[in-house]
PDB file of all heavy atoms in Angstrom:
ATOM      1  N   ILE A 156      66.949  42.368  82.613  1.00  0.00           N
ATOM      2  CA  ILE A 156      68.114  42.116  83.457  1.00  0.00           C
ATOM      3  C   ILE A 156      67.976  43.057  84.649  1.00  0.00           C
ATOM      4  O   ILE A 156      68.086  44.276  84.493  1.00  0.00           O
ATOM      5  CB  ILE A 156      69.432  42.465  82.714  1.00  0.00           C
ATOM      6  CG1 ILE A 156      69.440  41.901  81.286  1.00  0.00           C
ATOM      7  CG2 ILE A 156      70.633  42.033  83.532  1.00  0.00           C
ATOM      8  CD1 ILE A 156      69.438  40.407  81.181  1.00  0.00           C
ATOM      9  N   PRO A 157      67.699  42.527  85.842  1.00  0.00           N
ATOM     10  CA  PRO A 157      67.454  43.425  86.976  1.00  0.00           C
ATOM     11  C   PRO A 157      68.736  43.910  87.658  1.00  0.00           C
ATOM     12  O   PRO A 157      69.676  43.144  87.826  1.00  0.00           O
ATOM     13  CB  PRO A 157      66.635  42.553  87.936  1.00  0.00           C
ATOM     14  CG  PRO A 157      66.996  41.149  87.603  1.00  0.00           C
ATOM     15  CD  PRO A 157      67.498  41.117  86.186  1.00  0.00           C
ATOM     16  N   TYR A 158      68.748  45.194  88.000  1.00  0.00           N
ATOM     17  CA  TYR A 158      69.792  45.692  88.908  1.00  0.00           C
ATOM     18  C   TYR A 158      69.082  46.126  90.182  1.00  0.00           C
ATOM     19  O   TYR A 158      67.865  46.335  90.185  1.00  0.00           O
ATOM     20  CB  TYR A 158      70.579  46.853  88.291  1.00  0.00           C
ATOM     21  CG  TYR A 158      69.749  48.063  87.916  1.00  0.00           C
ATOM     22  CD1 TYR A 158      69.483  49.075  88.849  1.00  0.00           C
ATOM     23  CD2 TYR A 158      69.231  48.208  86.632  1.00  0.00           C
ATOM     24  CE1 TYR A 158      68.721  50.193  88.504  1.00  0.00           C
ATOM     25  CE2 TYR A 158      68.464  49.307  86.284  1.00  0.00           C
ATOM     26  CZ  TYR A 158      68.210  50.290  87.222  1.00  0.00           C
ATOM     27  OH  TYR A 158      67.449  51.384  86.893  1.00  0.00           O
ATOM     28  N   GLY A 159      69.853  46.226  91.263  1.00  0.00           N
ATOM     29  CA  GLY A 159      69.218  46.590  92.529  1.00  0.00           C
ATOM     30  C   GLY A 159      70.093  47.528  93.325  1.00  0.00           C
ATOM     31  O   GLY A 159      71.024  48.134  92.786  1.00  0.00           O
ATOM     32  N   VAL A 160      69.779  47.648  94.592  1.00  0.00           N
ATOM     33  CA  VAL A 160      70.594  48.487  95.469  1.00  0.00           C
ATOM     34  C   VAL A 160      71.675  47.611  96.082  1.00  0.00           C
ATOM     35  O   VAL A 160      71.556  46.392  96.093  1.00  0.00           O
ATOM     36  CB  VAL A 160      69.748  49.151  96.580  1.00  0.00           C
ATOM     37  CG1 VAL A 160      68.686  50.045  95.976  1.00  0.00           C
ATOM     38  CG2 VAL A 160      69.123  48.106  97.503  1.00  0.00           C
ATOM     39  N   SER A 161      72.744  48.230  96.569  1.00  0.00           N
ATOM     40  CA  SER A 161      73.798  47.420  97.171  1.00  0.00           C
ATOM     41  C   SER A 161      73.472  47.209  98.646  1.00  0.00           C
ATOM     42  O   SER A 161      72.775  48.010  99.270  1.00  0.00           O
ATOM     43  CB  SER A 161      75.171  48.060  96.969  1.00  0.00           C
ATOM     44  OG  SER A 161      75.335  49.091  97.897  1.00  0.00           O
ATOM     45  N   LYS A 162      73.997  46.086  99.162  1.00  0.00           N
ATOM     46  CA  LYS A 162      73.657  45.701 100.534  1.00  0.00           C
ATOM     47  C   LYS A 162      74.199  46.693 101.548  1.00  0.00           C
ATOM     48  O   LYS A 162      73.574  46.944 102.582  1.00  0.00           O
ATOM     49  CB  LYS A 162      74.196  44.296 100.825  1.00  0.00           C
ATOM     50  CG  LYS A 162      73.055  43.326 101.114  1.00  0.00           C
ATOM     51  CD  LYS A 162      73.508  41.967 101.561  1.00  0.00           C
ATOM     52  CE  LYS A 162      72.283  41.211 102.071  1.00  0.00           C
ATOM     53  NZ  LYS A 162      72.172  39.868 101.548  1.00  0.00           N
ATOM     54  N   LYS A 163      75.342  47.314 101.222  1.00  0.00           N
ATOM     55  CA  LYS A 163      76.002  48.132 102.252  1.00  0.00           C
ATOM     56  C   LYS A 163      75.233  49.405 102.604  1.00  0.00           C
ATOM     57  O   LYS A 163      75.099  49.730 103.768  1.00  0.00           O
ATOM     58  CB  LYS A 163      77.458  48.446 101.866  1.00  0.00           C
ATOM     59  CG  LYS A 163      77.633  49.330 100.643  1.00  0.00           C
ATOM     60  CD  LYS A 163      79.119  49.638 100.437  1.00  0.00           C
ATOM     61  CE  LYS A 163      79.389  50.748  99.432  1.00  0.00           C
ATOM     62  NZ  LYS A 163      78.708  50.699  98.147  1.00  0.00           N
ATOM     63  N   ASP A 164      74.662  50.105 101.611  1.00  0.00           N
ATOM     64  CA  ASP A 164      73.967  51.354 101.964  1.00  0.00           C
ATOM     65  C   ASP A 164      72.553  51.450 101.380  1.00  0.00           C
ATOM     66  O   ASP A 164      71.910  52.496 101.503  1.00  0.00           O
ATOM     67  CB  ASP A 164      74.807  52.570 101.538  1.00  0.00           C
ATOM     68  CG  ASP A 164      75.093  52.574 100.042  1.00  0.00           C
ATOM     69  OD1 ASP A 164      74.609  51.660  99.342  1.00  0.00           O
ATOM     70  OD2 ASP A 164      75.788  53.488  99.569  1.00  0.00           O
ATOM     71  N   GLU A 165      72.100  50.384 100.746  1.00  0.00           N
ATOM     72  CA  GLU A 165      70.751  50.327 100.160  1.00  0.00           C
ATOM     73  C   GLU A 165      70.539  51.416  99.103  1.00  0.00           C
ATOM     74  O   GLU A 165      69.434  51.912  98.909  1.00  0.00           O
ATOM     75  CB  GLU A 165      69.674  50.392 101.253  1.00  0.00           C
ATOM     76  CG  GLU A 165      69.766  49.204 102.192  1.00  0.00           C
ATOM     77  CD  GLU A 165      68.843  49.306 103.396  1.00  0.00           C
ATOM     78  OE1 GLU A 165      68.968  50.263 104.182  1.00  0.00           O
ATOM     79  OE2 GLU A 165      67.996  48.424 103.552  1.00  0.00           O
ATOM     80  N   LYS A 166      71.638  51.805  98.436  1.00  0.00           N
ATOM     81  CA  LYS A 166      71.539  52.748  97.318  1.00  0.00           C
ATOM     82  C   LYS A 166      72.036  52.050  96.050  1.00  0.00           C
ATOM     83  O   LYS A 166      72.771  51.061  96.135  1.00  0.00           O
ATOM     84  CB  LYS A 166      72.402  53.986  97.597  1.00  0.00           C
ATOM     85  CG  LYS A 166      71.899  54.789  98.805  1.00  0.00           C
ATOM     86  CD  LYS A 166      72.794  55.975  99.091  1.00  0.00           C
ATOM     87  CE  LYS A 166      72.342  56.642 100.398  1.00  0.00           C
ATOM     88  NZ  LYS A 166      73.262  57.656 100.886  1.00  0.00           N
ATOM     89  N   VAL A 167      71.638  52.583  94.890  1.00  0.00           N
ATOM     90  CA  VAL A 167      72.080  51.990  93.623  1.00  0.00           C
ATOM     91  C   VAL A 167      73.560  52.322  93.426  1.00  0.00           C
ATOM     92  O   VAL A 167      73.966  53.474  93.530  1.00  0.00           O
ATOM     93  CB  VAL A 167      71.254  52.546  92.448  1.00  0.00           C
ATOM     94  CG1 VAL A 167      71.792  52.023  91.123  1.00  0.00           C
ATOM     95  CG2 VAL A 167      69.784  52.166  92.603  1.00  0.00           C
ATOM     96  N   ASP A 168      74.349  51.272  93.160  1.00  0.00           N
ATOM     97  CA  ASP A 168      75.780  51.449  92.900  1.00  0.00           C
ATOM     98  C   ASP A 168      75.958  51.543  91.388  1.00  0.00           C
ATOM     99  O   ASP A 168      75.792  50.555  90.665  1.00  0.00           O
ATOM    100  CB  ASP A 168      76.532  50.243  93.485  1.00  0.00           C
ATOM    101  CG  ASP A 168      78.031  50.333  93.257  1.00  0.00           C
ATOM    102  OD1 ASP A 168      78.451  50.967  92.257  1.00  0.00           O
ATOM    103  OD2 ASP A 168      78.781  49.763  94.068  1.00  0.00           O
ATOM    104  N   MET A 169      76.274  52.742  90.898  1.00  0.00           N
ATOM    105  CA  MET A 169      76.292  52.963  89.450  1.00  0.00           C
ATOM    106  C   MET A 169      77.390  52.172  88.746  1.00  0.00           C
ATOM    107  O   MET A 169      77.257  51.842  87.568  1.00  0.00           O
ATOM    108  CB  MET A 169      76.420  54.462  89.142  1.00  0.00           C
ATOM    109  CG  MET A 169      75.189  55.264  89.522  1.00  0.00           C
ATOM    110  SD  MET A 169      73.632  54.616  88.846  1.00  0.00           S
ATOM    111  CE  MET A 169      73.901  54.814  87.102  1.00  0.00           C
ATOM    112  N   GLU A 170      78.484  51.858  89.446  1.00  0.00           N
ATOM    113  CA  GLU A 170      79.529  51.059  88.806  1.00  0.00           C
ATOM    114  C   GLU A 170      79.034  49.622  88.591  1.00  0.00           C
ATOM    115  O   GLU A 170      79.313  49.007  87.569  1.00  0.00           O
ATOM    116  CB  GLU A 170      80.827  51.111  89.635  1.00  0.00           C
ATOM    117  CG  GLU A 170      82.041  50.506  88.963  1.00  0.00           C
ATOM    118  CD  GLU A 170      82.264  50.940  87.494  1.00  0.00           C
ATOM    119  OE1 GLU A 170      81.967  52.100  87.141  1.00  0.00           O
ATOM    120  OE2 GLU A 170      82.729  50.094  86.697  1.00  0.00           O
ATOM    121  N   GLU A 171      78.239  49.119  89.553  1.00  0.00           N
ATOM    122  CA  GLU A 171      77.639  47.783  89.375  1.00  0.00           C
ATOM    123  C   GLU A 171      76.688  47.784  88.176  1.00  0.00           C
ATOM    124  O   GLU A 171      76.659  46.833  87.400  1.00  0.00           O
ATOM    125  CB  GLU A 171      76.826  47.406  90.624  1.00  0.00           C
ATOM    126  CG  GLU A 171      77.574  46.553  91.617  1.00  0.00           C
ATOM    127  CD  GLU A 171      76.743  46.320  92.886  1.00  0.00           C
ATOM    128  OE1 GLU A 171      75.520  46.097  92.771  1.00  0.00           O
ATOM    129  OE2 GLU A 171      77.332  46.395  93.984  1.00  0.00           O
ATOM    130  N   VAL A 172      75.884  48.847  88.052  1.00  0.00           N
ATOM    131  CA  VAL A 172      74.949  48.938  86.922  1.00  0.00           C
ATOM    132  C   VAL A 172      75.742  48.938  85.614  1.00  0.00           C
ATOM    133  O   VAL A 172      75.398  48.240  84.648  1.00  0.00           O
ATOM    134  CB  VAL A 172      74.080  50.216  87.018  1.00  0.00           C
ATOM    135  CG1 VAL A 172      73.191  50.359  85.791  1.00  0.00           C
ATOM    136  CG2 VAL A 172      73.229  50.195  88.290  1.00  0.00           C
ATOM    137  N   ARG A 173      76.828  49.690  85.599  1.00  0.00           N
ATOM    138  CA  ARG A 173      77.638  49.787  84.383  1.00  0.00           C
ATOM    139  C   ARG A 173      78.238  48.431  84.001  1.00  0.00           C
ATOM    140  O   ARG A 173      78.190  48.021  82.836  1.00  0.00           O
ATOM    141  CB  ARG A 173      78.750  50.823  84.596  1.00  0.00           C
ATOM    142  CG  ARG A 173      79.636  50.983  83.397  1.00  0.00           C
ATOM    143  CD  ARG A 173      80.583  52.172  83.523  1.00  0.00           C
ATOM    144  NE  ARG A 173      81.559  52.113  82.446  1.00  0.00           N
ATOM    145  CZ  ARG A 173      82.746  51.525  82.551  1.00  0.00           C
ATOM    146  NH1 ARG A 173      83.132  50.985  83.710  1.00  0.00           N
ATOM    147  NH2 ARG A 173      83.558  51.475  81.522  1.00  0.00           N
ATOM    148  N   GLN A 174      78.779  47.731  84.984  1.00  0.00           N
ATOM    149  CA  GLN A 174      79.370  46.418  84.713  1.00  0.00           C
ATOM    150  C   GLN A 174      78.319  45.453  84.162  1.00  0.00           C
ATOM    151  O   GLN A 174      78.589  44.697  83.225  1.00  0.00           O
ATOM    152  CB  GLN A 174      80.011  45.829  85.990  1.00  0.00           C
ATOM    153  CG  GLN A 174      81.279  46.566  86.453  1.00  0.00           C
ATOM    154  CD  GLN A 174      82.349  46.679  85.371  1.00  0.00           C
ATOM    155  OE1 GLN A 174      82.452  45.827  84.478  1.00  0.00           O
ATOM    156  NE2 GLN A 174      83.126  47.755  85.405  1.00  0.00           N
ATOM    157  N   LEU A 175      77.127  45.501  84.734  1.00  0.00           N
ATOM    158  CA  LEU A 175      76.035  44.635  84.283  1.00  0.00           C
ATOM    159  C   LEU A 175      75.657  44.975  82.829  1.00  0.00           C
ATOM    160  O   LEU A 175      75.447  44.095  82.000  1.00  0.00           O
ATOM    161  CB  LEU A 175      74.833  44.830  85.217  1.00  0.00           C
ATOM    162  CG  LEU A 175      73.703  43.820  85.157  1.00  0.00           C
ATOM    163  CD1 LEU A 175      74.203  42.416  85.498  1.00  0.00           C
ATOM    164  CD2 LEU A 175      72.589  44.223  86.148  1.00  0.00           C
ATOM    165  N   ALA A 176      75.609  46.275  82.539  1.00  0.00           N
ATOM    166  CA  ALA A 176      75.262  46.716  81.181  1.00  0.00           C
ATOM    167  C   ALA A 176      76.322  46.270  80.182  1.00  0.00           C
ATOM    168  O   ALA A 176      75.993  45.804  79.081  1.00  0.00           O
ATOM    169  CB  ALA A 176      75.102  48.236  81.154  1.00  0.00           C
ATOM    170  N   LEU A 177      77.588  46.389  80.560  1.00  0.00           N
ATOM    171  CA  LEU A 177      78.670  45.992  79.649  1.00  0.00           C
ATOM    172  C   LEU A 177      78.629  44.493  79.392  1.00  0.00           C
ATOM    173  O   LEU A 177      78.892  44.033  78.282  1.00  0.00           O
ATOM    174  CB  LEU A 177      80.033  46.382  80.239  1.00  0.00           C
ATOM    175  CG  LEU A 177      80.341  47.883  80.267  1.00  0.00           C
ATOM    176  CD1 LEU A 177      81.624  48.171  81.047  1.00  0.00           C
ATOM    177  CD2 LEU A 177      80.444  48.447  78.848  1.00  0.00           C
ATOM    178  N   LYS A 178      78.262  43.737  80.411  1.00  0.00           N
ATOM    179  CA  LYS A 178      78.227  42.278  80.281  1.00  0.00           C
ATOM    180  C   LYS A 178      77.004  41.841  79.468  1.00  0.00           C
ATOM    181  O   LYS A 178      77.112  40.994  78.584  1.00  0.00           O
ATOM    182  CB  LYS A 178      78.165  41.680  81.685  1.00  0.00           C
ATOM    183  CG  LYS A 178      78.064  40.173  81.731  1.00  0.00           C
ATOM    184  CD  LYS A 178      78.349  39.625  83.129  1.00  0.00           C
ATOM    185  CE  LYS A 178      77.756  38.245  83.296  1.00  0.00           C
ATOM    186  NZ  LYS A 178      76.514  38.229  84.062  1.00  0.00           N
ATOM    187  N   GLU A 179      75.837  42.440  79.735  1.00  0.00           N
ATOM    188  CA  GLU A 179      74.591  41.954  79.128  1.00  0.00           C
ATOM    189  C   GLU A 179      74.218  42.654  77.819  1.00  0.00           C
ATOM    190  O   GLU A 179      73.433  42.135  77.038  1.00  0.00           O
ATOM    191  CB  GLU A 179      73.422  42.121  80.116  1.00  0.00           C
ATOM    192  CG  GLU A 179      73.577  41.334  81.408  1.00  0.00           C
ATOM    193  CD  GLU A 179      73.307  39.842  81.213  1.00  0.00           C
ATOM    194  OE1 GLU A 179      72.829  39.451  80.130  1.00  0.00           O
ATOM    195  OE2 GLU A 179      73.603  39.078  82.154  1.00  0.00           O
ATOM    196  N   ARG A 180      74.732  43.839  77.605  1.00  0.00           N
ATOM    197  CA  ARG A 180      74.444  44.610  76.384  1.00  0.00           C
ATOM    198  C   ARG A 180      72.945  44.705  76.073  1.00  0.00           C
ATOM    199  O   ARG A 180      72.484  44.276  75.000  1.00  0.00           O
ATOM    200  CB  ARG A 180      75.173  44.007  75.182  1.00  0.00           C
ATOM    201  CG  ARG A 180      76.658  43.903  75.406  1.00  0.00           C
ATOM    202  CD  ARG A 180      77.395  44.736  74.388  1.00  0.00           C
ATOM    203  NE  ARG A 180      78.637  45.244  74.947  1.00  0.00           N
ATOM    204  CZ  ARG A 180      79.160  46.423  74.654  1.00  0.00           C
ATOM    205  NH1 ARG A 180      78.559  47.226  73.823  1.00  0.00           N
ATOM    206  NH2 ARG A 180      80.292  46.810  75.194  1.00  0.00           N
ATOM    207  N   PRO A 181      72.142  45.264  76.993  1.00  0.00           N
ATOM    208  CA  PRO A 181      70.708  45.411  76.740  1.00  0.00           C
ATOM    209  C   PRO A 181      70.453  46.451  75.648  1.00  0.00           C
ATOM    210  O   PRO A 181      71.314  47.295  75.379  1.00  0.00           O
ATOM    211  CB  PRO A 181      70.171  45.922  78.083  1.00  0.00           C
ATOM    212  CG  PRO A 181      71.329  46.674  78.668  1.00  0.00           C
ATOM    213  CD  PRO A 181      72.559  45.896  78.262  1.00  0.00           C
ATOM    214  N   LYS A 182      69.264  46.404  75.030  1.00  0.00           N
ATOM    215  CA  LYS A 182      68.907  47.399  74.008  1.00  0.00           C
ATOM    216  C   LYS A 182      68.377  48.682  74.645  1.00  0.00           C
ATOM    217  O   LYS A 182      68.393  49.734  74.022  1.00  0.00           O
ATOM    218  CB  LYS A 182      67.827  46.820  73.080  1.00  0.00           C
ATOM    219  CG  LYS A 182      68.309  45.639  72.245  1.00  0.00           C
ATOM    220  CD  LYS A 182      68.367  46.034  70.775  1.00  0.00           C
ATOM    221  CE  LYS A 182      68.991  44.965  69.914  1.00  0.00           C
ATOM    222  NZ  LYS A 182      68.021  43.991  69.430  1.00  0.00           N
ATOM    223  N   ILE A 183      67.832  48.545  75.881  1.00  0.00           N
ATOM    224  CA  ILE A 183      67.356  49.727  76.615  1.00  0.00           C
ATOM    225  C   ILE A 183      67.976  49.711  78.008  1.00  0.00           C
ATOM    226  O   ILE A 183      68.002  48.668  78.666  1.00  0.00           O
ATOM    227  CB  ILE A 183      65.813  49.717  76.787  1.00  0.00           C
ATOM    228  CG1 ILE A 183      65.095  49.800  75.440  1.00  0.00           C
ATOM    229  CG2 ILE A 183      65.355  50.867  77.688  1.00  0.00           C
ATOM    230  CD1 ILE A 183      63.567  49.696  75.545  1.00  0.00           C
ATOM    231  N   VAL A 184      68.477  50.879  78.439  1.00  0.00           N
ATOM    232  CA  VAL A 184      68.859  51.044  79.841  1.00  0.00           C
ATOM    233  C   VAL A 184      67.750  51.882  80.474  1.00  0.00           C
ATOM    234  O   VAL A 184      67.564  53.045  80.136  1.00  0.00           O
ATOM    235  CB  VAL A 184      70.228  51.749  79.984  1.00  0.00           C
ATOM    236  CG1 VAL A 184      70.507  52.088  81.444  1.00  0.00           C
ATOM    237  CG2 VAL A 184      71.336  50.873  79.406  1.00  0.00           C
ATOM    238  N   LEU A 185      66.987  51.227  81.353  1.00  0.00           N
ATOM    239  CA  LEU A 185      65.814  51.876  81.953  1.00  0.00           C
ATOM    240  C   LEU A 185      66.104  52.245  83.404  1.00  0.00           C
ATOM    241  O   LEU A 185      66.580  51.423  84.179  1.00  0.00           O
ATOM    242  CB  LEU A 185      64.624  50.900  81.890  1.00  0.00           C
ATOM    243  CG  LEU A 185      63.374  51.241  82.704  1.00  0.00           C
ATOM    244  CD1 LEU A 185      62.783  52.580  82.303  1.00  0.00           C
ATOM    245  CD2 LEU A 185      62.327  50.140  82.537  1.00  0.00           C
ATOM    246  N   CYS A 186      65.826  53.496  83.748  1.00  0.00           N
ATOM    247  CA  CYS A 186      65.926  53.886  85.152  1.00  0.00           C
ATOM    248  C   CYS A 186      64.631  54.555  85.561  1.00  0.00           C
ATOM    249  O   CYS A 186      63.836  54.983  84.720  1.00  0.00           O
ATOM    250  CB  CYS A 186      67.125  54.789  85.391  1.00  0.00           C
ATOM    251  SG  CYS A 186      67.084  56.297  84.438  1.00  0.00           S
ATOM    252  N   GLY A 187      64.451  54.659  86.860  1.00  0.00           N
ATOM    253  CA  GLY A 187      63.186  55.179  87.380  1.00  0.00           C
ATOM    254  C   GLY A 187      62.636  54.168  88.360  1.00  0.00           C
ATOM    255  O   GLY A 187      62.871  52.976  88.216  1.00  0.00           O
ATOM    256  N   THR A 188      61.928  54.661  89.362  1.00  0.00           N
ATOM    257  CA  THR A 188      61.567  53.801  90.483  1.00  0.00           C
ATOM    258  C   THR A 188      60.192  54.146  91.028  1.00  0.00           C
ATOM    259  O   THR A 188      59.625  55.189  90.720  1.00  0.00           O
ATOM    260  CB  THR A 188      62.569  54.007  91.636  1.00  0.00           C
ATOM    261  OG1 THR A 188      62.422  55.353  92.082  1.00  0.00           O
ATOM    262  CG2 THR A 188      63.995  53.766  91.215  1.00  0.00           C
ATOM    263  N   THR A 189      59.722  53.270  91.872  1.00  0.00           N
ATOM    264  CA  THR A 189      58.437  53.505  92.508  1.00  0.00           C
ATOM    265  C   THR A 189      58.535  53.426  94.027  1.00  0.00           C
ATOM    266  O   THR A 189      57.644  53.862  94.746  1.00  0.00           O
ATOM    267  CB  THR A 189      57.390  52.522  91.922  1.00  0.00           C
ATOM    268  OG1 THR A 189      56.107  52.857  92.373  1.00  0.00           O
ATOM    269  CG2 THR A 189      57.693  51.104  92.270  1.00  0.00           C
ATOM    270  N   ALA A 190      59.648  52.890  94.521  1.00  0.00           N
ATOM    271  CA  ALA A 190      59.819  52.783  95.975  1.00  0.00           C
ATOM    272  C   ALA A 190      61.297  52.907  96.334  1.00  0.00           C
ATOM    273  O   ALA A 190      61.871  52.056  97.002  1.00  0.00           O
ATOM    274  CB  ALA A 190      59.254  51.470  96.492  1.00  0.00           C
ATOM    275  N   TYR A 191      61.914  53.972  95.848  1.00  0.00           N
ATOM    276  CA  TYR A 191      63.338  54.203  96.124  1.00  0.00           C
ATOM    277  C   TYR A 191      63.465  55.620  96.665  1.00  0.00           C
ATOM    278  O   TYR A 191      63.093  56.579  95.991  1.00  0.00           O
ATOM    279  CB  TYR A 191      64.136  54.038  94.831  1.00  0.00           C
ATOM    280  CG  TYR A 191      65.636  54.238  94.967  1.00  0.00           C
ATOM    281  CD1 TYR A 191      66.396  53.410  95.795  1.00  0.00           C
ATOM    282  CD2 TYR A 191      66.294  55.254  94.264  1.00  0.00           C
ATOM    283  CE1 TYR A 191      67.767  53.588  95.897  1.00  0.00           C
ATOM    284  CE2 TYR A 191      67.659  55.435  94.363  1.00  0.00           C
ATOM    285  CZ  TYR A 191      68.399  54.600  95.185  1.00  0.00           C
ATOM    286  OH  TYR A 191      69.758  54.776  95.289  1.00  0.00           O
ATOM    287  N   PRO A 192      63.939  55.776  97.910  1.00  0.00           N
ATOM    288  CA  PRO A 192      63.905  57.094  98.542  1.00  0.00           C
ATOM    289  C   PRO A 192      65.037  58.034  98.111  1.00  0.00           C
ATOM    290  O   PRO A 192      65.062  59.189  98.544  1.00  0.00           O
ATOM    291  CB  PRO A 192      64.013  56.767 100.037  1.00  0.00           C
ATOM    292  CG  PRO A 192      64.631  55.419 100.107  1.00  0.00           C
ATOM    293  CD  PRO A 192      64.328  54.701  98.839  1.00  0.00           C
TER     294      PRO A 192
END
Side-chain angles (χ1 to χ4, degrees):
I156 314 295
Y158 59 87
V160 299
S161 79
K162 243 187 169 132
K163 66 176 193 312
D164 59 2
E165 298 173 300
K166 295 178 187 170
V167 175
D168 180 332
M169 292 308 296
E170 189 47 35
E171 264 175 41
V172 176
R173 180 170 170 267
Q174 290 306 331
L175 194 60
L177 289 172
K178 178 166 159 258
E179 298 284 350
R180 304 241 149 214
K182 294 248 173 88
I183 296 176
V184 172
L185 168 59
C186 59
T188 64
T189 189
Y191 180 61

